Amino acid sequence: MNTLTVPAADLKWKMGSVRLDLCGKIHPEPIDLFDGIPDSLLLDIFNRIGDVKSLGRCCVVSKRFHSLVPQVDNIIVLVDCVISDDDSSASSSSSVASYKSRHPISSFLRLFLGLFKPFQSFTQFITPTTRRVTSFAEDSDFETEQNSVTHHSPTQVLKNFNEIKLLRITLPSGELGIDAGVLLKWRADFGSTLENCVILGASSVIHNPNGGSACNVDNTDIVNNSNEVAIDNGSIPESFYTNGGLKLRVVWTISSLIAASARHYLLQPIIAEHKTLESLILTDSDGQGLLSMNKVQLEELRVKPLSASSASKRTLVPALNMRLWYASHLELPNGIVLKGATLVAIKPREQSKIEVVGSEGNWVASAFEEPFGTAARMLVKRRTYCLEMNSF
């Protein structure tokens, strides 16, 4: 009888192969389901996330995510804090808090001295935290720090995004310090300079859910005739000129224009670096002000440098034509009552006459979200007052 002889080494190898096959059948290799997701779908998910901090965290998940995130075209940047350029951050924070607590008239001169100090460091923000933080670093890798506070500018954070089309930056609060209960909102469109601006203000806002007429009147809008609200014919009352009402509205207007032009000035590096941008919005969490630029306006700024103000780091505001509407008492359908409600529509003097009706006037009527959009549409039906302002 023939005997088959198998070398011991071969026998050991064959038995090992059988064990590997059995293990593979009983415990198969795990499959990474993310590998089956197309890049286009992942990019769509990342675009829906938008928030730059969350995207930074996604980058450390895998090499694939790290390579895809820079292709995201819809970015949201939430600014955590605005810090001072110098070392006296505590004193700076104190001075800003003090400034915000002042009345707009008393702090008007401080706007030129104090408003821009925190704004100079708008480009030095982001992600203070005690946990591990991930952000874009100079060398295209992601820098992590533990138990420390790190500040990065929007330009640094956005540097490695190559395809940004829609960008929204939100500041932690509005720049303008106003008294409690006062309403002040603005919206401005810019190209290389201011194209238009709409400002809505009220000396007090009263919530009156039960409807009816509210009886509280703010001190800045006291009227001499107790029946003036009832016989309101759309005209500005004489008391508006004598009790400081007009002066206060001028302060609101100039302050809003300064804030808008400061924001515009600080966006230059981002606009210059990201040629793919089609829409840019810079707003604040308070909903006080919104600066908007579309694709045409962004391209205009790239080819036509802005004119900077010699007094401070902001864009020069051109000579302006303004139209003003005023109501000492304005009741909105949802029960909100605006006292001393004022709407100002602004365009450069070199442009055509301001239109507030029809398609050309939609920029006034649609400047604010509800219920303040309704307030704007109600105010433009009243008597119009024209004003002019020189460049500053």
Side-chain angles (χ1 to χ4, degrees):
M1 183 174 68
N2 295 330
T3 303
L4 179 64
T5 303
V6 179
D10 289 349
L11 181 60
K12 185 182 290 186
W13 181 84
K14 290 179 182 293
M15 292 177 67
S17 298
V18 171
R19 289 194 194 98
L20 288 174
D21 290 342
L22 289 173
C23 289
K25 292 178 180 178
I26 299 173
H27 304 290
E29 287 290 326
I31 299 174
D32 188 350
L33 297 178
F34 277 108
D35 288 341
I37 301 178
D39 287 354
S40 58
L41 180 56
L42 280 177
L43 276 174
D44 185 59
I45 294 171
F46 290 150
N47 276 310
R48 292 174 186 272
I49 293 173
D51 175 51
V52 72
K53 297 178 191 176
S54 300
L55 291 172
R57 295 184 180 100
C58 289
C59 280
V60 297
V61 171
S62 67
K63 290 183 178 180
R64 186 185 181 201
F65 282 19
H66 187 280
S67 65
L68 287 174
V69 166
Q71 301 175 42
V72 171
D73 59 25
N74 185 6
I75 302 293
I76 301 170
V77 179
L78 302 177
V79 180
D80 288 327
C81 62
V82 181
I83 60 174
S84 174
D85 278 337
D86 54 34
D87 295 330
S88 57
S89 58
S91 62
S92 174
S93 301
S94 175
S95 64
V96 172
S98 173
Y99 155 69
K100 287 205 168 194
S101 67
R102 293 170 178 263
H103 193 277
I105 292 180
S106 63
S107 62
F108 174 58
L109 295 178
R110 288 180 55 84
L111 287 171
F112 297 95
L113 301 175
L115 182 63
F116 300 103
K117 187 172 183 180
F119 261 100
Q120 290 169 1
S121 55
F122 165 67
T123 56
Q124 296 178 4
F125 88 96
I126 210 170
T127 328
T129 180
T130 57
R131 295 178 297 176
R132 193 177 184 210
V133 174
T134 304
S135 59
F136 282 111
E138 298 284 340
D139 58 358
S140 302
D141 291 323
F142 293 94
E143 149 189 352
T144 59
E145 293 192 14
Q146 212 154 6
N147 298 322
S148 64
V149 176
T150 306
H151 300 282
H152 299 278
S153 73
T155 306
Q156 290 172 323
V157 172
L158 298 171
K159 180 176 164 182
N160 287 6
F161 288 99
N162 307 316
E163 306 291 338
I164 303 178
K165 293 181 180 178
L166 309 176
L167 175 61
R168 184 182 183 94
I169 301 174
T170 303
L171 297 172
S173 62
E175 308 90 304
L176 306 181
I178 55 176
D179 291 340
V182 173
L183 172 70
L184 181 57
K185 291 180 174 290
W186 59 265
R187 174 168 182 156
D189 289 347
F190 276 81
S192 60
T193 187
L194 178 70
E195 291 194 357
N196 63 68
C197 181
V198 186
I199 301 167
L200 177 67
S203 53
S204 65
V205 181
I206 301 170
H207 296 272
N208 189 23
N210 297 324
S213 177
C215 59
N216 295 334
V217 179
D218 188 85
N219 290 335
T220 58
D221 291 287
I222 296 174
V223 292
N224 294 327
N225 186 345
S226 59
N227 297 321
E228 189 161 8
V229 172
I231 61 172
D232 184 7
N233 59 3
S235 300
I236 294 179
E238 186 65 29
S239 58
F240 181 77
Y241 303 98
T242 58
N243 65 8
L246 178 60
K247 184 178 180 180
L248 177 60
R249 271 66 181 183
V250 171
V251 170
W252 287 352
T253 301
I254 295 176
S255 302
S256 299
L257 289 170
I258 288 175
S261 61
R263 292 187 185 187
H264 181 249
Y265 181 89
L266 292 164
L267 289 172
Q268 291 180 86
I270 295 174
I271 295 170
E273 185 168 337
H274 297 278
K275 308 294 185 183
T276 57
L277 265 177
E278 297 179 0
S279 174
L280 192 158
I281 291 176
L282 177 54
T283 184
D284 54 77
S285 59
D286 296 339
Q288 186 181 88
L290 186 149
L291 183 150
S292 174
M293 298 181 72
N294 60 31
K295 185 176 181 179
V296 174
Q297 293 164 336
L298 290 163
E299 188 58 33
E300 178 190 327
L301 179 58
R302 294 189 187 101
V303 300
K304 184 180 178 182
L306 59 78
S307 299
S309 169
S310 58
S312 52
K313 292 185 177 181
R314 62 176 179 82
T315 302
L316 185 70
V317 177
L320 303 171
N321 284 327
M322 299 184 289
R323 297 183 73 171
L324 180 146
W325 299 266
Y326 174 83
S328 58
H329 178 100
L330 190 69
E331 293 187 27
L332 304 183
N334 62 352
I336 293 178
V337 178
L338 303 181
K339 294 292 185 177
T342 309
L343 180 69
V344 183
I346 303 169
K347 276 194 174 184
R349 197 177 297 170
E350 62 184 21
Q351 292 188 16
S352 58
K353 183 180 178 182
I354 297 176
E355 297 291 341
V356 294
V357 295
S359 59
E360 292 186 14
N362 288 339
W363 61 279
V364 177
S366 62
F368 307 105
E369 296 182 353
E370 296 301 332
F372 303 110
T374 298
R377 289 189 291 273
M378 293 172 67
L379 284 165
V380 295
K381 296 177 182 179
R382 302 174 67 85
R383 181 170 297 183
T384 306
Y385 294 83
C386 298
L387 302 140
E388 292 185 351
M389 184 176 292
N390 292 329
S391 176
F392 64 93

